[in-house]
Amino acid sequence: MELYEEKARLRKELKKRRHNLNNDTRKEKSEQIAQTFYQIKEFKEASSVFCYLSYMDEVDTTRLVKYILKKNLKLYVPKIINNEEMVATRLRKMADLEPDKIGILTPKTGEILLESIDIAITPGLGFTKRCERLGYGRGYYDRWFSKNHVKIKIGVAFETQLVSSLPLEKTDIAMDILITEKKVIKKK
Ligand SMILES: Nc1ncnc2c1ncn2[C@@H]1O[C@H](COP(=O)(O)OP(=O)(O)OP(=O)(O)O)[C@@H](O)[C@H]1O
Ligand SMILES: [Mg+2]
């Protein structure tokens, strides 16, 4: 099977696994992931954080994002600007968000990240214990990581999204740390 076909097959399977968790379970596990995140030294030492705004079945980052704002850290969130490019946009308050074309909350205003950033909290469909990542198939995160200097890339996922291996390309960028509701995995 071609690599992209294998990726497509896995994405389908992993979307199903994530969807099979019920809403309450997803909320609860997301909260456990957030609590773990608050305690890691990398976050305690951070002054700037990029974090995705969760959509549908993803690990819910709403509380996490509010916590980052409350702590007065510099927060950036994703904004898709065309078929290939995502930028990190500064978010100062939740009221600056509005749903984009497909319903993902996106900042109305805010300057684009130009300097380096301490942490990037990254979504994904699948991860391995080596912190490798399978995303949604558009390459937005892989491209963004290749262009921006992120000190620590942190993947967040439900335990059920862990797989023993992934079909990978040279452009697939691995995480430094992976957090699930059960554990923290650091890339060796
Ligand atoms: N840095 C890059 N430069 C050019 N093309 C890239 C880069 N990174 C990824 N791509 C291309 O983008 C396409 C999608 O990549 P991939 O299948 O890895 O998506 P993904 O990691 O699942 O998606 P995402 O990062 O949006 O969650 C592939 O054809 C891949 O080769
Ligand atoms: Mg990729």
Side-chain angles (χ1 to χ4, degrees):
M1 211 192 290
E2 298 266 359
L3 184 129
Y4 75 90
E5 285 176 309
E6 253 180 87
K7 278 187 165 181
R9 188 194 57 77
L10 255 173
R11 283 189 187 104
K12 222 167 147 185
E13 154 73 19
L14 288 160
K15 269 186 197 163
K16 222 183 274 169
R17 281 198 212 171
R18 202 174 61 174
H19 190 69
N20 283 342
L21 302 169
N22 72 42
N23 285 339
D24 287 346
T25 310
R26 253 184 259 118
K27 271 249 150 63
E28 196 181 305
K29 290 179 194 294
S30 298
E31 187 54 29
Q32 287 163 350
I33 290 167
Q35 292 298 332
T36 302
F37 177 72
Y38 303 152
Q39 281 157 35
I40 63 171
K41 131 179 158 304
E42 288 81 359
F43 175 58
K44 287 181 176 162
E45 291 172 357
S47 56
S48 56
V49 181
F50 167 90
C51 185
Y52 73 97
L53 295 158
S54 50
Y55 178 66
M56 308 273 279
D57 302 339
E58 289 181 326
V59 171
D60 194 326
T61 57
T62 319
R63 303 266 297 261
L64 194 63
V65 162
K66 289 180 182 165
Y67 184 86
I68 293 168
L69 285 174
K70 207 176 81 196
K71 287 255 160 196
N72 275 322
L73 302 180
K74 261 181 137 177
L75 173 67
Y76 288 84
V77 300
K79 185 169 191 161
I80 304 293
I81 53 169
N82 60 42
N83 272 341
E84 296 205 327
E85 204 180 355
M86 174 178 93
V87 294
T89 307
R90 180 80 190 267
L91 182 70
R92 289 189 168 78
K93 52 181 194 308
M94 297 306 273
D96 288 342
L97 294 172
E98 66 182 10
D100 70 3
K101 273 183 272 174
I102 65 159
I104 301 176
L105 287 174
T106 309
K108 277 177 277 194
T109 58
E111 54 285 19
I112 293 175
L113 174 75
L114 297 172
E115 70 268 39
S116 74
I117 192 155
D118 292 334
I119 286 180
I121 302 174
T122 313
L125 284 172
F127 292 92
T128 68
K129 63 177 196 293
R130 291 174 295 284
C131 292
E132 294 147 337
R133 170 181 177 274
L134 178 72
Y136 298 95
R138 304 301 298 263
Y140 285 123
Y141 279 89
D142 289 321
R143 275 194 209 91
W144 186 73
F145 284 131
S146 76
K147 285 186 198 153
N148 291 269
H149 184 250
V150 175
K151 287 182 201 145
I152 303 156
K153 300 181 284 295
I154 302 184
V156 290
F158 302 119
E159 192 73 17
T160 184
Q161 296 172 254
L162 279 178
V163 290
S164 56
S165 69
L166 283 170
L168 294 169
E169 296 167 69
K170 276 208 182 75
T171 47
D172 284 318
I173 296 186
M175 303 293 104
D176 302 296
I177 299 175
L178 177 63
I179 303 178
T180 75
E181 71 276 20
K182 293 222 173 95
K183 53 186 178 280
V184 176
I185 302 170
K186 296 206 179 183
K187 190 173 141 199
K188 292 196 183 92

